[in-house]
Amino acid sequence: MVLDIIKSRRSIRRFLDTPIPPEILQELLEAAQWAPSGSNNQPWAFVVVQEPASVRKVKMFSPGLGGVPAALLIVCSDHSREDTTAIMDVSMAAQNVMLVATDKGLGSCVVRSHNPKALQTLLELPADVVPELIVALGYAVKPARNPGRRPIEELVHWEQYGGQPGEQ
Amino acid sequence: MSNEQKVSGLIDLLCFLVVGARELVNEPKIYGPMRLMEASQRLTGLAEDCDIRHELLAEVSRRIGAFPLDALPEGEEEFIHFMDDLIVLLASWVRDH
Ligand SMILES: Cc1cc2nc3c(=O)[nH]c(=O)nc-3n(C[C@H](O)[C@H](O)[C@H](O)COP(=O)(O)O)c2cc1C
């Protein structure tokens, strides 16, 4: 069930050096491709980084990147396209990728703590293509602790803010 | 370890510190101590790689390595105690030398 996959996805920060099979990587990229975007503008670009030396270089400029992932998917907004919803669009793509990764037994972690200018320089990105998130991918060393979530009653309001279920 | 490898280790740490400093401008406050603890751990690792061996450095490295930095910020109180204990360890050493 999709809900089981959503709930079992955990942020993984320690990876084995087992490579990701190309056919799985292809499915992850399709998951990104098929994410929704405002007006179907698709204002994104995805850069796959797998060469160990390149992964290391990206890691040097990404203080929030834990472990040494087998692959990085650099999720970028593309400002040469209509981009009013770009941040939301790329976030949806990143989540799609992580859910398919979970389904395939891969660990992942979405990373915001990186320096976009450094990554633009390293990856020779055009000025319009801005790295927003890194999705770290690889097989987990061990399952991650579940950090839990706030109770659903605290988040969800029925009909109006503060409304309880079944209230008129 | 070759000189080139030592320089590469230093540049690695330097990038982590400089980018960390820049990104912390927009990041949650608790990330600051996390980044500095990770940098401290890397520093002790680098010292070892450069054949600078010392029981205090080894102990600091062991303690930081054993602390689940990943689990933050849920364990914030525990993290603060952990840093306090580390400071006492360092201060005691400084007092006695
Ligand atoms: C926008 C965003 C940015 C994040 N950036 C980082 C990051 O830089 N480094 C990191 O280790 N985790 C990062 N995370 C992962 C969160 O810490 C993680 O999702 C959260 O603690 C919940 O844990 P879980 O993903 O295992 O459920 C980020 C998550 C989101 C949604």
Side-chain angles (χ1 to χ4, degrees), chain A residues 6-13 62-66 91 95 98 108-114 132-134 144-149, chain B residues 27 31 34-35 70-74:
Chain A
I6 291 173
K7 287 185 173 180
S8 62
R9 182 210 53 77
R10 287 280 73 76
S11 292
I12 298 299
R13 301 179 178 94
S62 307
L65 181 57
S91 305
Q95 173 74 345
M98 292 193 291
S108 64
C109 185
V110 64
V111 173
R112 175 68 175 170
S113 296
H114 65 270
E132 303 290 354
L133 295 167
I134 301 172
R145 196 179 59 89
N146 183 343
R149 290 297 188 264
Chain B
E27 289 184 333
Y31 284 19
M34 283 169 64
R35 300 276 186 260
D70 287 2
L72 286 169
E74 290 84 16

Side-chain angles (χ1 to χ4, degrees), chain A residues 13-14 56 59-65 112-116 118 145 147, chain B residues 8 11-12 15-16 19-20 22-23 27 31 35 38 42 65 70-71 74:
Chain A
R13 301 179 178 94
R14 279 185 202 178
R56 188 179 159 270
K59 187 177 158 70
M60 282 172 73
F61 294 93
S62 307
L65 181 57
R112 175 68 175 170
S113 296
H114 65 270
N115 187 268
R145 196 179 59 89
Chain B
S8 159
I11 292 175
D12 213 324
C15 289
F16 182 82
V19 176
R22 170 64 186 89
E23 298 309 312
E27 289 184 333
Y31 284 19
R35 300 276 186 260
E38 185 175 339
R42 288 187 183 204
D70 287 2
E74 290 84 16

Side-chain angles (χ1 to χ4, degrees), chain B residues 46-92:
Chain B
L46 200 57
E48 199 178 316
D49 290 345
C50 293
D51 279 328
I52 302 171
R53 288 173 206 282
H54 188 277
E55 58 184 21
L56 179 67
L57 298 179
E59 178 59 12
V60 168
S61 175
R62 191 195 61 74
R63 287 198 193 186
I64 303 177
F67 191 83
L69 275 173
D70 287 2
L72 286 169
E74 290 84 16
E76 206 171 308
E77 283 297 310
E78 205 189 328
F79 182 42
I80 292 167
H81 284 309
F82 162 77
M83 289 186 289
D84 285 344
D85 288 347
L86 207 53
I87 291 166
V88 171
L89 173 78
L90 290 167
S92 308

